[in-house]
Amino acid sequence: MGVKSKGGFEANSRSTVTKRWTLLLCIGCFCVGMLFSDRMWNVPEAKDKTVARAMGVKDEKLKLVSEGCDPIGKDVKRELKDILGEVSRTHNAVQTLDKTISNLEMELAATRAAQESIVNGSPISGGLKIPETSGKRRYLMVVGINTAFSSIKRRDSVRATWMPQGEERKKLEEKKGIIMRFVIGHSATSGGLLDRVIEAEDRKHGDFLRLEHVEGYLELSAKTKTYFATASVLWDADFYVKVDDDVHVNIATLGATLARHRTKPRVYIGCMKSGLVLAHKGVRYHEPEYWKFGEEGNKYFRHATGQLYAISKDLASYISINQHVLHKYANEDVSLGSWFIGLDVEHVDDRSLCCGTADCEWKAQAGNVCVASFDWPCSGICRSVERMGDVHQRCGEGKNALWTAAS
């Protein structure tokens, strides 16, 4: 009995302990379950509220936009418009500043080149003096009339027709901003008879621009380069013109034609052509460096015919600055055209700069006055000394055209 009673006590004791631990375990599991359930249900609820709020705002925005009442959109558009306007103004200001800096750099470089040229004795002749008006007055154009020692009669025919003389020429410079000079260099024996004759003629008329250049037919490219370099240093002008002394020119019409291109920075104006490259020796206009232009029978690049052409200030300054490295071909008009290859230059093909003497009269009567007139077979007016007066009478713009033209 005793043993039996002891075994029953132990069984009861184990049962009591197991029930307690089971109760505690259940309570713990319940608490853990409650905690986990609370977290799992709270998070989705918060997310649902956020999503609902976002959807509500989006719906409200869509509603405002559909009704044309989106204040934020209007503000953004207004700010964007203001920003674009400011960017455009800034871009224009930068472009203006770049152009100003470019002009200043070009003028500075030209001045330095002029100083070096004077020190080295080229290209400005020692007898030349830079006018006091240089740097103070901006001229419309400088017209350089290419001439030779033997062309005194040609020069007189020009003076008697389209080139004003004496006080009229000075008035033309002061009132209209037009400089006109015969352009010539020196003889091979500087200071010789030919030079003294030109000096005497210059003392009488005062209408020469003497270059530090040795005259010669095969040196026309070098003369052209020296002319533009010298003229750009002596006179600050919008345009620099080269014309032959056997061509008839209407100066007022030339000025009006160039003035239309005054706002263009780099412009090259003339009668553009593209002639054959002549490889055979002994023919006129033979090109010794014909092989540079490709196979035989090829044509030159587009360039202005040599009787008359004009270039803007920036191009004349470019020639002045780079004159020592600009290549010279046999033909001066080809040389000039080659100097602008690869540059951002506008080529203007104006056929009024190359009228025939048979056409200029009826064109003038129709109100289309030609800038320049000559005969193509002669590369100038045939027998210009005898015929310049006749061409001027038939094709001229009128005596008062210069003074009635707008400045």
Side-chain angles (χ1 to χ4, degrees):
M1 290 291 294
V3 173
K4 187 177 181 179
S5 299
K6 185 178 178 180
F9 174 79
E10 288 177 357
N12 291 335
S13 177
R14 285 194 195 98
S15 176
T16 303
V17 171
T18 301
K19 289 179 179 180
R20 286 179 182 175
W21 279 108
T22 300
L23 180 63
L24 289 174
L25 182 60
C26 289
I27 294 172
C29 289
F30 177 78
C31 291
V32 171
M34 288 295 293
L35 179 62
F36 181 76
S37 299
D38 184 60
R39 289 190 176 183
M40 288 296 291
W41 285 106
N42 283 344
V43 172
E45 183 181 0
K47 287 185 178 178
D48 289 344
K49 288 181 180 180
T50 303
V51 171
R53 190 180 299 111
M55 290 298 292
V57 172
K58 186 175 181 181
D59 290 342
E60 189 65 25
K61 284 186 176 180
L62 290 173
K63 182 178 179 182
L64 287 171
V65 171
S66 65
E67 295 176 356
C69 302
D70 183 6
I72 297 177
K74 285 186 176 181
D75 291 341
V76 170
K77 290 179 181 177
R78 189 179 298 109
E79 290 178 4
L80 181 60
K81 185 177 181 180
D82 292 342
I83 291 172
L84 291 176
E86 187 65 29
V87 169
S88 178
R89 287 191 291 273
T90 302
H91 179 68
N92 291 336
V94 169
Q95 282 187 324
T96 302
L97 182 60
D98 285 345
K99 186 175 180 180
T100 302
I101 292 173
S102 176
N103 290 338
L104 290 174
E105 288 177 343
M106 191 72 77
E107 291 177 6
L108 178 60
T111 302
R112 286 175 177 171
Q115 290 174 346
E116 292 176 2
S117 297
I118 292 172
V119 171
N120 296 330
S122 174
I124 301 175
S125 173
L128 282 176
K129 294 183 179 179
I130 297 178
E132 295 180 359
T133 54
S134 181
K136 298 179 182 178
R137 170 70 190 272
R138 183 68 173 260
Y139 294 92
L140 170 62
M141 61 181 177
V142 176
V143 180
I145 308 168
N146 187 42
T147 192
F149 289 113
S150 59
S151 299
I152 183 170
K153 291 184 177 180
R154 284 188 179 183
R155 292 191 290 273
D156 285 340
S157 69
V158 170
R159 291 184 182 113
T161 53
W162 56 268
M163 182 180 182
Q165 292 298 295
E167 292 302 318
E168 277 200 347
R169 184 169 56 81
K170 293 180 180 179
K171 181 182 175 182
L172 185 66
E173 296 177 5
E174 296 171 359
K175 301 295 184 181
K176 300 296 180 179
I178 299 175
I179 305 290
M180 300 178 68
R181 296 288 189 276
F182 286 106
V183 180
I184 196 168
H186 296 277
S187 64
T189 55
S190 183
L193 177 61
L194 294 176
D195 292 313
R196 293 199 299 271
V197 170
I198 292 295
E199 289 166 4
E201 190 178 346
D202 192 23
R203 285 193 297 270
K204 179 179 179 181
H205 298 283
D207 54 6
F208 278 93
L209 171 59
R210 300 296 303 277
L211 304 177
E212 194 63 45
H213 164 79
V214 177
E215 286 290 323
Y217 179 75
L218 298 179
E219 296 299 324
L220 287 177
S221 293
K223 183 177 181 179
T224 299
K225 184 197 300 185
T226 304
Y227 159 63
F228 283 120
T230 304
S232 65
V233 171
L234 292 176
W235 297 286
D236 181 17
D238 292 319
F239 296 96
Y240 298 85
V241 181
K242 176 263 177 183
V243 59
D244 290 338
D245 61 5
D246 56 353
V247 173
H248 181 269
V249 181
N250 285 314
I251 294 298
T253 306
L254 173 61
T257 299
L258 297 184
R260 292 198 294 269
H261 304 283
R262 213 167 189 171
T263 59
K264 301 174 182 177
R266 293 170 298 278
V267 62
Y268 172 34
I269 306 171
C271 288
M272 299 296 166
K273 66 176 183 177
S274 180
L276 287 172
V277 181
L278 301 179
H280 299 290
K281 293 183 179 180
V283 299
R284 192 179 185 186
Y285 306 128
H286 165 63
E287 178 57 72
E289 296 182 88
Y290 62 89
W291 59 273
K292 289 185 177 180
F293 299 92
E295 300 299 328
E296 185 174 345
N298 278 4
K299 292 185 176 182
Y300 288 112
F301 42 78
R302 286 282 172 182
H303 61 279
T305 185
Q307 284 81 2
L308 186 148
Y309 48 72
I311 62 175
S312 57
K313 175 181 173 61
D314 282 3
L315 296 183
S317 297
Y318 172 81
I319 293 173
S320 177
I321 295 166
N322 300 286
Q323 57 184 301
H324 301 298
V325 295
L326 295 177
H327 186 69
K328 302 183 296 294
Y329 290 101
N331 301 302
E332 55 98 7
D333 51 356
V334 172
S335 294
L336 183 73
S338 72
W339 300 337
F340 303 146
I341 294 293
L343 300 184
D344 185 13
V345 175
E346 179 178 349
H347 289 56
V348 176
D349 182 17
D350 191 332
R351 310 315 288 184
S352 71
L353 274 65
C354 54
C355 295
T357 57
D359 302 331
C360 59
E361 183 174 7
W362 67 261
K363 288 183 178 180
Q365 292 174 352
N368 299 318
V369 178
C370 292
V371 171
S373 303
F374 56 90
D375 302 307
W376 282 105
C378 299
S379 297
I381 297 176
C382 298
R383 306 190 320 278
S384 65
V385 173
E386 295 83 8
R387 296 183 59 233
M388 184 67 76
D390 174 62
V391 173
H392 182 65
Q393 185 177 1
R394 293 187 297 104
C395 308
E397 59 197 351
K399 186 176 182 180
N400 296 321
L402 266 176
W403 312 113
T404 57
S407 300

